Amino acid sequence: MSKNKSSESVKVVVRCRPPSRKEESNGPAGTIVQMDLRLGQVILKNPRAPPSEPQKTFTFDAVYDANSKQRDLYDESVRPLIDSVLAGFNGTIFAYGQTGTGKTYTMQGAWLDPEKRGVIPNAFDHIFTHISRSQSDKQYLVRASYLEIYLEEIRDLLDPNHGIARGLELRESPDTGVYVQDLTSCVCKSIKEIEEVMNVGNQARAVGATDMNEHSSRSHALFLITVECSQPGPDGRKHIRVGRLNLVDLAGSERQTKTGVQGERLKEAAKINLSLSALGNVISALADGRSGHVPYRDSKLTRLLQDSLGGNAKTVMVATLGPASLHYDETLTTLRYANRAKNIQNQPRVNEDPKDALLREFQMEIARLRAQLNHRKWRSKQKKEPVDGEGWERDEMDGEEDEVEKEAEEYVKLEEQRLEREKEAIRDDQYLLAEEKQRLLGEKEKMMGDLRMEQQAAEQLTAKYKAMESKLLVGGKNIIDHTNEQQKILEMKRQEIAEQTRSEREMQQRMMVQDEETLELRDTFTSLQQEVEAKTKKLKKLYNKLQTIKGEIKDVNDEHVRNRQELEQTQNELTRELKFKYLIIENFIPPEEKNKIMNRLTFDQEEDQWKYQPLVPAESKSSQMKKRPTSAVGYKRPISQYARVAIAMGAHSRYRAENIMFLELDVTPPNTSLDRSAGADPNQSPSLDNSPTKEKGVRKSRSCPSSVSN
């Protein structure tokens, strides 16, 4: 099997959605996008420009207007890519465009309506239908994963705890390229199972409402399908080819003035625009061809798409547009990005016999279990036919699992009956001693137990074998209900029509280019006046091209100014929110607590974000314990800082700043001593001196009973 090492450009198609209800309610402003389906051209009209300004024309591999069907886009532009993935190539399909232009509809569509099913469900049907129609000597293993990039953090949408789990990390391998570590992968055996995986992930995906889209995607979603195929080669050995399909649904670029997002939605929009800007820089660097450095590491999105843009993959980019004049600037930006992406060259090759093929591990495990089952079958036959000297020949295992189970059950029943007969014979034998009978009966019981254990082990082995083999899909078997011959012929005819349409469009585009180049060579002039007229016409044409290029330069500068103003506005919003949080920190968080938090912050260079250090180092968590606070001098137990301050300030410290007098009513102790003074007045009461003292503030003083001396 030869590997294709030739380069291939990224295939770019453009699709324009119909006007929305909100756009129709604003009035008949007219569409600014016109499409020539035959030539694959998009003509964009500037609503603010004078009528004399020429319109902008872009040429792509295919274009689809508002009346196009989902099936047409899939058959013409996506089906050849899926066929390449089934042949062992890497493939990527991603939708790019402004928010609310139909990217999610193009990729997913309406699952229940066959006419409105998007690229992803049609790809599911294509893959499993191809497997069901393939030859019986091929084995397939299909795996699916689902992830999203939310706020520049990779989250596994198939993880039940993805909301609280920490983000996954990107790794790079020389064999497989960039991959996500610890990403959940589900083995799928039918269309229903892979659709269920997709639905589980969609329920966990981050979406939100904006002024432009009620169900706006707030994250970039990537659905990854791995198809492994095992097929005998010319050398008689089984060779494995692995095709990887990346189905990418990007979040749309947003302008804060149009979407009206604030708070958390504003942060999401800033991260989305940052990653899309990094994607645009990568496309520009690859399309330029003169830049030695491609900034893949500026964003996690571009790192995941590294093979898809300029690497080992076949890529289809679907650029989505809106027809309203309100979004002229965003539509022009999308068309320019798509036009640059046409110049990117990939180097796709077949992934043959990779080291990380899971199908080979499954085949080795199935072969081991099959050998154990065959060995048990051989033992059962040997025990049933001890006299027969014929050798056991290895049979084909297809459909023999039931036979093995029946033979095993029959063998166990016969052995149980034989042991029961032997036990009865031992009990009826009068010449054996009682101890000898007990010993022989115990041996028979042990043999019965061993027989049952062997039967259980065989059942477990058979169940494990069937579970492993059920994960593999074999060509020629009924994965889904096979279509009849008329449906097969209809699909083949539809594919031929799509291929013919694509070839005609490419031929017409080449003819237009050749006509422009050879027009001057074919012209012959009979007079100077005719030559002057032809040269004047050509000069006007070149002058119009010059004016168009000047207009392009002006538009690029205006777009740069608008993007700068938009970024400045976003920066001002984020700065205002940051100042508000700083104000809260300065006024409500004690300085010592703030210093503790700041001391725990560290910057992670790989993930480009700040992180908290643990209070106790990870390596010493198990070996070290936090020290117990030292006891205060003179006290048996540790006391808190608050208690120490209270002791130093004295009793009732909370009332000191409020200038409150706290009076305690003390009862005078009874006078039990005899009154030695005859002139003492027994009814005299103790006097209270309530005069304040300078040292202790407001205090009550108690005087002792006075005595009168002669």
Side-chain angles (χ1 to χ4, degrees):
M1 298 180 183
S2 62
K3 297 181 181 180
N4 184 13
K5 295 184 179 180
S6 61
S7 62
E8 178 180 308
S9 60
V10 173
K11 187 175 183 179
V12 181
V13 300
V14 177
R15 187 179 195 185
C16 182
R17 64 165 173 80
S20 63
R21 296 178 182 176
K22 187 175 181 180
E23 293 168 351
E24 291 177 349
S25 62
N26 292 335
T31 179
I32 60 173
V33 178
Q34 297 179 4
M35 291 190 166
D36 190 338
L37 305 182
R38 183 176 58 87
L39 296 177
Q41 290 183 344
V42 178
I43 303 171
L44 185 64
K45 178 182 178 182
N46 188 353
R48 299 185 293 269
S52 60
E53 181 178 328
Q55 297 178 343
K56 296 176 175 59
T57 303
F58 301 88
T59 303
F60 299 100
D61 295 292
V63 295
Y64 302 93
D65 58 8
N67 299 321
S68 62
K69 298 180 180 179
Q70 297 273 58
R71 194 72 191 184
D72 296 338
L73 185 145
Y74 183 83
D75 289 337
E76 293 181 12
S77 302
V78 182
R79 181 176 289 275
L81 179 69
I82 305 300
D83 290 333
S84 300
V85 171
L86 293 169
F89 289 92
N90 294 339
T92 299
I93 308 168
F94 68 94
Y96 180 87
Q98 182 196 10
T99 180
T101 53
K103 296 182 299 299
T104 303
Y105 176 79
T106 300
M107 295 301 295
Q108 299 189 17
W111 291 71
L112 300 180
D113 190 348
E115 295 295 327
K116 297 181 180 180
R117 292 166 67 89
V119 170
I120 294 177
N122 284 326
F124 294 166
D125 292 342
H126 188 174
I127 291 172
F128 286 96
T129 303
H130 174 84
I131 293 174
S132 65
R133 294 176 182 173
S134 60
Q135 299 176 1
S136 59
D137 60 346
K138 294 183 179 180
Q139 283 186 326
Y140 291 88
L141 179 66
V142 181
R143 291 178 286 156
S145 302
Y146 203 4
L147 63 91
E148 71 172 355
I149 304 176
Y150 178 73
L151 295 177
E152 278 302 300
E153 185 177 278
I154 300 177
R155 303 198 302 183
D156 187 357
L157 293 178
L158 302 181
D159 185 3
N161 302 321
H162 77 281
I164 58 176
R166 61 177 301 181
L168 302 180
E169 296 181 357
L170 285 174
R171 292 288 183 265
E172 190 167 0
S173 170
D175 298 326
T176 60
V178 180
Y179 67 95
V180 181
Q181 190 177 17
D182 300 329
L183 182 65
T184 303
S185 181
C186 300
V187 176
C188 303
K189 297 172 287 186
S190 63
I191 299 175
K192 184 178 180 181
E193 290 186 7
I194 199 168
E195 286 182 350
E196 186 176 351
V197 171
M198 187 81 183
N199 293 332
V200 170
N202 286 336
Q203 293 175 3
R205 190 180 174 187
V207 295
T210 65
D211 291 349
M212 296 184 65
N213 191 357
E214 293 183 1
H215 305 283
S216 175
S217 302
R218 312 309 298 169
S219 64
H220 308 300
L222 285 83
F223 193 86
L224 296 88
I225 303 176
T226 303
V227 181
E228 301 182 10
C229 175
S230 173
Q231 182 181 9
D235 55 356
R237 299 177 55 188
K238 286 190 176 181
H239 295 273
I240 295 178
R241 292 178 302 178
V242 179
R244 297 179 178 89
L245 177 62
N246 301 323
L247 302 167
V248 187
D249 182 15
L250 298 178
S253 58
E254 299 181 357
R255 293 187 184 273
Q256 195 266 341
T257 54
K258 293 185 178 180
T259 56
V261 293
Q262 294 178 352
E264 194 68 23
R265 292 285 178 264
L266 180 61
K267 293 181 185 178
E268 295 171 352
K271 291 292 185 181
I272 290 171
N273 291 336
L274 180 65
S275 60
L276 292 177
S277 177
L279 178 61
N281 294 335
V282 168
I283 291 175
S284 299
L286 291 171
D288 186 15
R290 293 174 295 180
S291 176
H293 170 68
V294 181
Y296 288 116
R297 292 183 174 270
D298 287 355
S299 171
K300 293 183 178 178
L301 173 65
T302 52
R303 284 205 69 191
L304 282 173
L305 297 179
Q306 184 169 342
D307 281 340
S308 305
L309 299 172
N312 173 26
K314 295 188 175 186
T315 304
V316 173
M317 174 181 175
V318 183
T320 56
L321 309 175
S325 59
L326 178 64
H327 310 308
Y328 168 78
D329 298 329
E330 290 81 1
T331 301
L332 182 59
T333 302
T334 301
L335 288 173
R336 284 191 176 130
Y337 273 133
N339 196 40
R340 282 198 291 266
K342 292 192 305 179
N343 300 322
I344 299 176
Q345 296 292 324
N346 291 348
Q347 291 77 35
R349 61 181 183 273
V350 176
N351 303 312
E352 190 173 359
D353 293 328
K355 296 180 180 179
D356 62 339
L358 192 61
L359 180 59
R360 191 177 300 279
E361 297 180 11
F362 277 37
Q363 288 177 339
M364 293 174 62
E365 181 67 16
I366 289 173
R368 186 182 66 83
L369 296 174
R370 182 182 294 173
Q372 292 185 12
L373 284 174
N374 288 336
H375 181 64
R376 290 180 180 275
K377 177 183 176 182
W378 177 79
R379 279 179 22 185
S380 64
K381 283 189 173 183
Q382 291 294 324
K383 291 182 179 180
K384 286 174 62 179
E385 302 176 1
V387 182
D388 192 2
E390 296 181 358
W392 174 74
E393 297 180 356
R394 179 169 179 170
D395 301 324
E396 294 293 333
M397 289 302 297
D398 294 337
E400 287 193 355
E401 290 83 7
D402 296 336
E403 181 183 352
V404 172
E405 291 181 1
K406 291 179 181 179
E407 291 182 356
E409 292 177 358
E410 183 181 355
Y411 167 71
V412 170
K413 289 180 180 179
L414 292 176
E415 287 294 315
E416 287 180 351
Q417 294 175 1
R418 183 178 64 81
L419 291 174
E420 287 293 336
R421 289 195 300 269
E422 291 181 358
K423 287 169 65 176
E424 291 295 330
I426 292 172
R427 292 192 186 96
D428 296 339
D429 193 349
Q430 302 295 332
Y431 298 99
L432 291 176
L433 297 176
E435 296 179 356
E436 188 69 16
K437 283 186 178 182
Q438 291 294 332
R439 185 180 65 80
L440 293 175
L441 290 174
E443 291 179 356
K444 298 301 180 184
E445 289 290 340
K446 185 179 179 181
M447 292 174 64
M448 290 281 289
D450 295 341
L451 187 63
R452 294 191 183 96
M453 290 177 62
E454 184 178 353
Q455 182 184 10
Q456 293 177 359
E459 291 176 354
Q460 293 176 359
L461 192 63
T462 304
K464 187 176 180 180
Y465 169 77
K466 287 185 175 181
M468 290 291 294
E469 195 174 44
S470 65
K471 295 181 180 181
L472 299 184
L473 305 176
V474 181
K477 290 189 177 180
N478 288 327
I479 301 174
I480 58 174
D481 295 331
H482 287 288
T483 56
N484 53 30
E485 292 299 325
Q486 293 181 352
Q487 289 177 328
K488 293 181 182 179
I489 295 173
L490 181 62
E491 287 186 6
M492 293 176 62
K493 293 294 184 183
R494 185 186 299 168
Q495 189 173 354
E496 290 177 2
I497 293 172
E499 185 67 28
Q500 185 177 359
T501 304
R502 184 167 55 251
S503 300
E504 289 178 357
R505 183 166 52 245
E506 292 176 356
M507 290 176 62
Q508 289 175 354
Q509 291 177 0
R510 287 196 297 267
M511 288 176 62
M512 286 181 60
V513 175
Q514 291 176 0
D515 288 343
E516 291 180 358
E517 293 177 352
T518 59
L519 181 62
E520 185 178 357
L521 298 176
R522 292 200 307 264
D523 287 342
T524 56
F525 308 107
T526 59
S527 64
L528 291 176
Q529 182 67 27
Q530 186 179 3
E531 185 176 359
V532 168
E533 291 177 356
K535 297 291 185 182
T536 304
K537 185 177 180 181
K538 183 178 180 181
L539 183 62
K540 289 182 179 180
K541 186 176 181 181
L542 292 176
Y543 180 76
N544 290 333
K545 285 187 177 181
L546 178 62
Q547 293 300 115
T548 303
I549 293 174
K550 287 183 178 180
E552 288 286 331
I553 295 174
K554 184 178 180 298
D555 290 341
V556 170
N557 291 331
D558 293 343
E559 181 187 354
H560 174 70
V561 172
R562 284 193 300 270
N563 290 337
R564 182 177 177 180
Q565 292 175 352
E566 191 73 25
L567 291 174
E568 287 177 352
Q569 183 178 1
T570 304
Q571 181 182 2
N572 292 335
E573 293 284 341
L574 296 175
T575 303
R576 185 174 62 181
E577 188 173 354
L578 183 63
K579 288 182 178 180
F580 175 68
K581 292 185 177 179
Y582 270 129
L583 185 65
I584 295 176
I585 292 173
E586 293 295 334
N587 290 275
F588 293 95
I589 297 180
E592 58 272 11
E593 295 296 330
K594 183 180 73 173
N595 293 333
K596 290 179 182 178
I597 295 174
M598 297 297 292
N599 292 333
R600 288 176 55 198
L601 285 175
T602 56
F603 187 74
D604 192 341
Q605 295 285 349
E606 184 176 352
E607 298 190 8
D608 194 24
Q609 63 180 356
W610 291 88
K611 289 185 176 181
Y612 281 109
Q613 285 183 342
L615 292 174
V616 180
E619 62 272 6
S620 61
K621 275 185 178 179
S622 58
S623 59
Q624 292 185 0
M625 296 291 292
K626 290 185 178 181
K627 294 183 179 179
R628 182 178 178 179
T630 53
S631 301
V633 179
Y635 294 91
K636 295 181 179 180
R637 298 180 180 276
I639 60 175
S640 64
Q641 185 67 22
Y642 174 80
R644 295 181 184 180
V645 173
I647 293 173
M649 294 181 65
H652 311 296
S653 60
R654 62 170 292 194
Y655 299 115
R656 291 202 172 195
E658 301 175 7
N659 196 18
I660 296 177
M661 182 184 296
F662 189 86
L663 299 178
E664 294 181 357
L665 300 179
D666 293 341
V667 181
T668 305
N671 190 2
T672 56
S673 61
L674 295 176
D675 189 5
R676 300 177 181 177
S677 175
D681 188 2
N683 297 325
Q684 185 180 2
S685 61
S687 62
L688 299 176
D689 185 7
N690 292 332
S691 61
T693 60
K694 294 181 181 179
E695 294 79 12
K696 298 184 179 179
V698 180
R699 293 285 188 182
K700 68 179 182 62
S701 61
R702 187 173 56 197
S703 61
C704 297
S706 60
S707 59
V708 181
S709 59
N710 294 331

